[in-house]
């Protein structure tokens, strides 16, 4: 455990030593960030990960000393825009991949045009969901411009492995000290567990229905309870020995592991465990730290996987804290430095940022499906 902490500390020091050489120490004074959110701050939906993460980014940027605002509006409030004008700051507007899709944004435009006398601004696209889920290939032409600065939340791209793991902007809420998974050792190591709890969730999206029925009676243990997403269902995990999750990207696998219940992710067809890990939000961290596995989670019913999960579940919570720290301390600051460089005219050789045609060359567009929102595509 201490070795991993040392590795993360050394990595952050290495990043800082290599990349601060062309960013002045006070570069934060040249930027004002506005995160376009899905909901208002009073109604932030913690149960909607993609909704809440936008507000989490607002919080983290503020903690790091950057002038930041957030809200459903396309642009920052007038008082912030005026401050940017007076301070000669550039406004960086962070929008998720689908923002403007239904309202017919113009491709590649800055949607906070304050005129000649106003502050400069540019948009950054933060791709939270893999293209082809909610929005797909259509956004690349409809609302993304060729010089748009793009960052991804996870290590995927267009349904295939995304190999530029520096192109990550990632913040997470969980876990945190004192949260509901911060349980006593007595509860965690409770041996009075039996049976299987399971959760269907997005199984129909990721698996063929007839292929997932076979797992219920594996090892002669009948599935005993299907869980939903409520708090009582989380506490119910403490009764069970195993938890099967059919949504390979659900945080519930990690909730179960932190509760001492062996989480078993139903494997994706034709996808190895390492390929699955690389598609997770923590995949870029695993890659950059030179790891080849994650603790506390089994990928399928193979006995070696079950043993791995059982033996390493106590390491899962510290691992998730390290991923969270890496996101805030490495990816967020790397992102801000690239925004500073973009402000000063740089369009290549970023630390992590990528322009649209670099991240998604046109010859690859045919491999990216349209999204679920395609029926709302502008005509």
């Amino acid at each position: 455990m201490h070795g991993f902490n040392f590795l993360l500390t050394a990595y952050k020091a290495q990043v800082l030593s290599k990349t601060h050489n062309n960013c002045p120490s006070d570069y934060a004074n040249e930027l004002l960030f506005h995160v376009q959110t899905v909901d208002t701050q009073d109604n932030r939906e913690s149960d909607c990960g993609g909704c809440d993460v936008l507000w989490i980014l607002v919080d983290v940027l503020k903690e790091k000393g950057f002038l930041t605002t957030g809200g459903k509006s396309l642009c920052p409030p007038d008082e912030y825009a005026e401050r940017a004008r007076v301070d000669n700051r550039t406004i960086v507007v962070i929008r998720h991949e689908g923002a403007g899709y239904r309202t017919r944004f113009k491709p590649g435009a800055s949607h906070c045009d304050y005129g000649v006398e106003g502050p400069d601004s540019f948009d950054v696209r933060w791709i939270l969901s893999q293209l082809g889920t909610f929005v797909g290939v259509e956004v690349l032409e409809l609302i993304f411009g060729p010089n748009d600065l793009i960052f991804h939340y996870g290590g995927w791209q267009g349904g295939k492995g995304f190999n530029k793991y520096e192109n990550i902007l990632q913040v997470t809420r969980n876990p945190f000290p004192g949260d509901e998974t911060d349980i006593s050792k007595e509860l965690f190591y409770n041996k009075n567990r039996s049976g299987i709890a399971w959760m269907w969730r997005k199984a129909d999206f990721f698996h063929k229905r007839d292929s997932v029925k076979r797992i219920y009676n594996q090892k002669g243990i009948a599935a005993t309870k299907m869980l939903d997403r409520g708090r009582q269902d989380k506490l119910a995990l403490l009764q069970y020995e195993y938890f099967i999750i059919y949504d390979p990207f659900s945080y519930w696998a990690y909730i179960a592991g932190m509760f001492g219940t062996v989480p078993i992710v139903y494997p994706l067809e034709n996808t190895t465990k390492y390929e699955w890990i690389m598609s997770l939000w923590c995949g870029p961290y695993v890659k950059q730290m030179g790891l080849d596995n994650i603790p506390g989670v089994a990928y399928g019913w193979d006995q070696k996987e079950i043993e791995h999960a059982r033996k390493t579940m106590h390491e899962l919570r510290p691992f998730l804290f390290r991923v969270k720290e890496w996101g805030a301390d490495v990816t967020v600051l790397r992102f801000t430095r690239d925004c500073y460089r973009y402000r000063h005219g740089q369009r290549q050789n970023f630390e992590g940022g990528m322009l649209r045609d670099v991240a998604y060359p046109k010859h690859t567009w045919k491999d990216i499906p349209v999204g679920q929102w395609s029926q709302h595509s502008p005509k």
Side-chain angles (χ1 to χ4, degrees):
M1 196 177 303
H2 294 298
F4 281 125
N5 289 333
F6 173 79
L7 189 62
L8 178 56
T9 301
Y11 178 79
K12 289 191 292 186
Q14 181 186 36
V15 167
L16 290 174
S17 67
K18 287 183 176 180
T19 58
H20 262 295
N21 54 5
N22 61 349
C23 287
S25 59
D26 60 350
Y27 75 95
N29 296 333
E30 298 187 29
L31 303 170
L32 185 155
F33 291 99
H34 174 68
V35 182
Q36 185 184 5
T37 62
V38 176
D39 214 336
T40 63
Q41 188 164 20
D42 291 339
N43 296 315
R44 20 190 321 185
E45 300 178 27
S46 60
D47 199 35
C48 169
C51 306
D52 195 39
V53 76
L54 294 161
W55 280 111
I56 296 172
L57 180 59
V58 173
D59 296 339
V60 172
L61 283 168
K62 287 181 177 179
E63 290 169 4
K64 300 298 182 186
F66 293 91
L67 184 61
T68 307
T69 181
K72 295 177 68 175
S73 60
L74 296 180
C75 306
D78 290 344
E79 61 268 28
Y80 280 85
E82 176 60 16
R83 180 166 176 183
R85 185 191 67 79
V86 171
D87 294 348
N88 193 28
R89 296 172 182 258
T90 292
I91 297 174
V92 182
V93 183
I94 303 159
R95 309 187 195 277
H96 66 83
E97 70 275 17
Y101 182 58
R102 291 172 173 163
T103 53
R104 301 177 183 171
F105 267 16
K106 294 179 181 179
S110 170
H111 298 93
C112 296
D113 187 359
Y114 295 98
V116 176
E117 300 299 325
D120 293 331
S121 69
F122 64 89
D123 288 1
V124 173
R125 285 288 172 174
W126 191 17
I127 300 181
L128 302 177
S129 298
Q130 179 177 329
L131 290 190
T133 306
F134 299 108
V135 296
V137 63
E138 63 272 19
V139 299
L140 294 173
E141 187 168 11
L142 288 171
I143 61 175
F144 286 21
N147 288 319
D148 279 359
L149 192 59
I150 289 175
F151 287 82
H152 290 74
Y153 188 84
W156 25 246
Q157 180 192 37
K160 298 187 177 182
F162 184 54
N163 295 319
K164 187 171 173 55
Y165 288 93
E166 294 81 7
N167 181 247
I168 300 297
L169 173 59
Q170 187 180 109
V171 291
T172 57
R173 174 179 299 283
N174 299 312
F176 55 89
D179 67 13
E180 59 193 349
T181 61
D182 193 2
I183 63 174
S184 67
K185 288 185 178 180
E186 288 74 18
L187 285 174
F188 183 85
Y189 289 107
N190 172 33
K191 301 298 183 183
N192 254 340
R193 299 173 180 265
S194 63
I196 301 172
W198 56 282
M199 185 177 287
W200 189 257
R201 280 191 47 78
K202 300 173 184 175
D204 289 328
F205 185 82
F206 294 108
H207 309 288
K208 298 175 182 176
R209 180 176 284 269
D210 60 355
S211 73
V212 301
K213 294 179 180 178
R214 295 172 295 177
I215 198 169
Y216 290 168
N217 292 313
Q218 290 283 339
K219 307 292 182 184
I221 307 173
T224 51
K225 183 175 177 64
M226 183 176 77
L227 300 183
D228 201 347
R229 298 172 67 181
R231 174 170 170 75
Q232 291 305 313
D233 287 312
K234 291 178 182 177
L235 297 177
L237 285 169
L238 295 169
Q239 307 170 32
Y240 295 98
E241 185 175 5
Y242 302 103
F243 172 68
I244 303 169
I245 179 71
Y246 293 97
D247 178 350
F249 303 109
S250 172
Y251 192 73
W252 272 81
Y254 313 99
I255 292 173
M258 288 186 283
F259 274 165
T261 306
V262 177
I264 302 165
V265 174
Y266 192 88
L268 292 162
E269 188 176 11
N270 300 320
T271 303
T272 67
K273 184 178 186 181
Y274 186 74
E275 290 170 339
W276 166 68
I277 291 172
M278 289 298 101
S279 70
L280 299 175
W281 93 101
C282 61
Y285 171 83
V286 170
K287 179 77 171 180
Q288 292 197 337
M289 294 298 107
L291 310 177
D292 59 8
N293 207 344
I294 61 176
V297 180
Y299 186 67
W301 270 99
D302 183 84
Q303 191 57 36
K304 288 184 178 179
E305 280 296 310
I306 301 295
E307 290 175 1
H308 164 76
R310 200 186 301 277
K311 289 179 179 178
T312 59
M313 276 195 299
H314 67 285
E315 299 174 8
L316 178 58
R317 187 173 172 83
F319 169 81
L320 296 176
F321 270 107
R322 290 193 296 273
V323 176
K324 180 178 179 179
E325 179 186 356
W326 173 82
D329 291 351
V330 175
T331 77
V332 170
L333 293 179
R334 184 167 59 197
F335 157 76
T336 63
R337 292 191 294 269
D338 277 347
C339 288
Y340 167 82
R341 295 178 180 109
Y342 193 96
R343 163 188 161 90
H344 286 277
Q346 188 168 324
R347 295 295 181 268
Q348 59 184 355
N349 300 322
F350 295 105
E351 283 184 68
M354 303 175 76
L355 302 187
R356 183 200 69 180
D357 290 349
V358 176
Y360 295 95
K362 287 194 174 182
H363 72 271
T364 67
W365 290 12
K366 65 183 185 301
D367 300 322
I368 306 171
V370 298
Q372 295 175 18
W373 295 355
S374 59
Q375 64 268 30
H376 301 286
S377 175
K379 301 299 183 185

